[in-house]
Amino acid sequence: MVKMKKEIKLFDPSIDASEMNAVSKVLKSKFWASGSGNGLVKKFETQFQKYIKSKSCIAVNSGTAALNLAFSLFDIKNKEVILPSMSFVSSAHCIVEHGGIPIFVDIEPDTLCIDPKQIRKKISKKTVGILPVHFGGMPSNLTEIQKLAKPSNLFIVEDAAHAVGTKFNNQKIGSHGTIVCFSFHPVKNLAMPTGGLLAINHKNHNKLKDKLFSRRWCGITNRTFTDYDVHEIGWNYYMNEFSAAIGLEQLKKLDKLNKIRKKIAKKYFDEINITEKMPFSKDCSYHLYWILVKNRQDFRQKLARNGIETGTHYKPIHKMRMYPTSNKLPVTEKIGKEIVTIPIHPNLTSSDVNNIISKINRFI
Ligand SMILES: Cc1ncc(COP(=O)(O)O)c(C=O)c1O
């Protein structure tokens, strides 16, 4: 019998008996979903809010849904929202979905987060908001972004899909911005089958939460035992009980799992013989670890032949047919061509990590 080489996956959720028991309980209860978000969804919102220390939290069924709901709160029709192009397409779709115009600006070459100097150049009379993405779990420079937003009264919606557990200025991401959107897609640091959440820190957070509460379930309000009403458009965006059950278990071990990611990141940073690679920061959640490689295709194929899966996060959004831009984005373009994401998850053994490092150092 031919012995198959072990494949090292790029992503691999960390689960054990606790998630399995939690799912089994939901299955047996036959209470699987509720637009009202009672039961475990509500419990997850409470626990997550305590974890990130935001004013309010509302759980939804994806990071994309969170972003779409966030932009439903602002009037952005024919107005501009500034964002990085180095992200997943949902970061831009949510702007277009609500009639806004995405204005892509370049990123910092070390963090791959939006460059505040580039934001400053693009603020115009039409600008209404800024959407920073905490790339790979590295925090965007929120202090500088807030300084730029304040004089023009711009809103900030953070895309924190990668940043569960990331810190900025000693506070968890989720506690700074007006609205902060998380994703709990299975590859994320806190994994669910599908899930997302909006953290709200606005002074009228209860009012916003009420709006989001109805919009996440088809605009339904005034729910009573005998009646309900609808006064606006809403969507089927609510989180289901299975996701919440898994999420509650994942949340209990999140810090422990992120600590393992950080340890691996430190080793990659110290031992991979490439100068252009993701920096080490104790504040980063390390959803991704990236390196820049000139001969990307050949390099990835060699790693794949050696059982190491890699990715290319991301093809810049402005390179998609739907999103051409006249803005010059030299850093994003270079990184879009050279970026390779390598496995960084808590299921990697130390022998996997050593193997990854030695193969990378051999093939670059
Ligand atoms: C930066 C970023 N924003 C938004 C999303 C959308 O999240 P979801 O897949 O949960 O809809 C993702 C998901 O991969 C992402 O990476």
Side-chain angles (χ1 to χ4, degrees):
M1 209 169 96
V2 183
K3 202 165 171 245
M4 293 291 290
K5 203 176 279 172
K6 179 187 170 193
E7 201 198 342
I8 303 178
K9 291 190 196 156
L10 180 58
F11 299 113
D12 193 25
S14 299
I15 53 163
D16 57 35
S18 58
E19 282 85 1
M20 302 204 194
N21 291 336
V23 167
S24 169
K25 268 193 205 154
V26 175
L27 197 61
K28 285 179 193 152
S29 77
K30 299 194 181 176
F31 180 71
W32 296 352
S34 140
S36 310
N38 294 317
L40 297 177
V41 171
K42 200 162 184 177
K43 206 165 161 193
F44 178 76
E45 287 170 342
T46 308
Q47 299 298 16
F48 196 80
Q49 186 182 334
K50 274 191 199 151
Y51 178 75
I52 57 171
K53 298 195 169 64
S54 64
K55 291 203 166 83
S56 280
C57 278
I58 182 140
V60 290
N61 57 16
S62 69
T64 304
L67 286 163
N68 274 342
L69 276 188
F71 279 89
S72 79
L73 294 172
F74 303 99
D75 176 12
I76 63 168
K77 206 150 193 209
N78 299 321
K79 312 258 175 62
E80 295 178 351
V81 178
I82 297 175
L83 76 162
S85 168
M86 181 52 66
S87 186
F88 184 61
V89 284
S90 298
S91 311
H93 283 352
C94 57
I95 298 166
V96 177
E97 169 76 8
H98 294 282
I101 305 162
I103 300 294
F104 297 109
V105 301
D106 221 339
I107 48 176
E108 299 169 329
D110 51 349
T111 63
L112 309 198
C113 292
I114 195 162
D115 184 344
K117 293 190 292 301
Q118 303 302 324
I119 299 178
R120 185 190 299 276
K121 287 186 199 161
K122 285 290 163 190
I123 293 177
S124 73
K125 284 204 175 76
K126 285 178 87 178
T127 310
V128 285
I130 305 173
L131 191 161
V133 178
H134 304 300
F135 190 91
M138 206 49 100
S140 305
N141 189 339
L142 292 174
T143 309
E144 285 305 308
I145 295 170
Q146 280 159 352
K147 268 192 218 157
L148 290 168
K150 216 167 180 187
S152 312
N153 205 17
L154 309 180
F155 65 77
I156 300 171
V157 171
E158 292 168 49
D159 183 337
H162 299 180
V164 186
T166 293
K167 281 187 178 169
F168 181 77
N169 277 353
N170 286 325
Q171 278 173 240
K172 294 251 168 57
I173 288 294
S175 60
H176 309 80
T178 317
I179 309 274
V180 187
C181 299
F182 291 92
S183 161
F184 308 124
H185 178 280
V187 303
K188 297 297 192 304
N189 294 35
L190 191 158
M192 296 180 182
T194 139
L197 177 138
L198 299 98
I200 315 164
N201 295 300
H202 193 271
K203 57 180 184 309
N204 295 329
H205 63 101
N206 280 327
K207 238 179 157 169
L208 292 186
K209 191 173 175 177
D210 284 347
K211 266 193 190 170
L212 293 169
F213 190 67
S214 85
R215 288 179 190 179
R216 83 171 170 186
W217 190 32
C218 302
I220 292 171
T221 52
N222 303 334
R223 280 164 234 169
T224 66
F225 186 59
T226 50
D227 193 21
Y228 69 91
D229 199 0
V230 167
H231 72 282
E232 62 170 355
I233 277 284
W235 299 269
N236 187 340
Y237 279 168
Y238 63 83
M239 180 180 279
N240 71 68
E241 289 287 297
F242 292 101
S243 286
I246 295 173
L248 280 163
E249 296 307 321
Q250 291 266 297
L251 188 55
K252 285 182 202 159
K253 46 193 165 194
L254 180 64
D255 284 342
K256 197 176 103 205
L257 297 178
N258 278 352
K259 218 167 154 186
I260 301 173
R261 287 173 182 270
K262 257 177 243 186
K263 217 170 139 191
I264 300 171
K266 177 79 174 71
K267 199 165 158 66
Y268 283 163
F269 182 71
D270 288 341
E271 296 182 24
I272 290 178
N273 295 331
I274 294 179
T275 39
E276 293 182 297
K277 62 190 165 198
M278 192 164 181
F280 182 73
S281 158
K282 63 177 180 14
D283 291 337
C284 180
S285 66
Y286 287 101
H287 165 57
L288 301 174
Y289 192 89
W290 56 263
I291 53 179
L292 298 190
V293 179
K294 302 276 182 226
N295 56 338
R296 180 164 72 177
Q297 200 177 337
D298 178 54
F299 175 78
R300 288 189 67 210
Q301 272 166 358
K302 283 182 179 149
L303 287 176
R305 270 187 238 121
N306 281 271
I308 300 170
E309 190 186 10
T310 57
T312 53
H313 295 81
Y314 292 93
K315 176 174 170 180
I317 303 176
H318 77 282
K319 290 287 171 189
M320 308 287 175
R321 225 180 314 164
M322 182 178 160
Y323 287 107
T325 181
S326 53
N327 280 358
K328 293 241 174 333
L329 307 172
V331 180
T332 303
E333 305 232 341
K334 171 188 152 59
I335 285 160
K337 285 189 198 122
E338 298 179 6
I339 195 162
V340 176
T341 43
I342 62 173
I344 182 162
H345 52 75
N347 297 334
L348 295 173
T349 63
S350 48
S351 131
D352 291 335
V353 174
N354 287 331
N355 182 19
I356 292 166
I357 294 169
S358 86
K359 294 290 178 340
I360 288 176
N361 288 342
R362 194 192 313 163
F363 297 140
I364 41 169

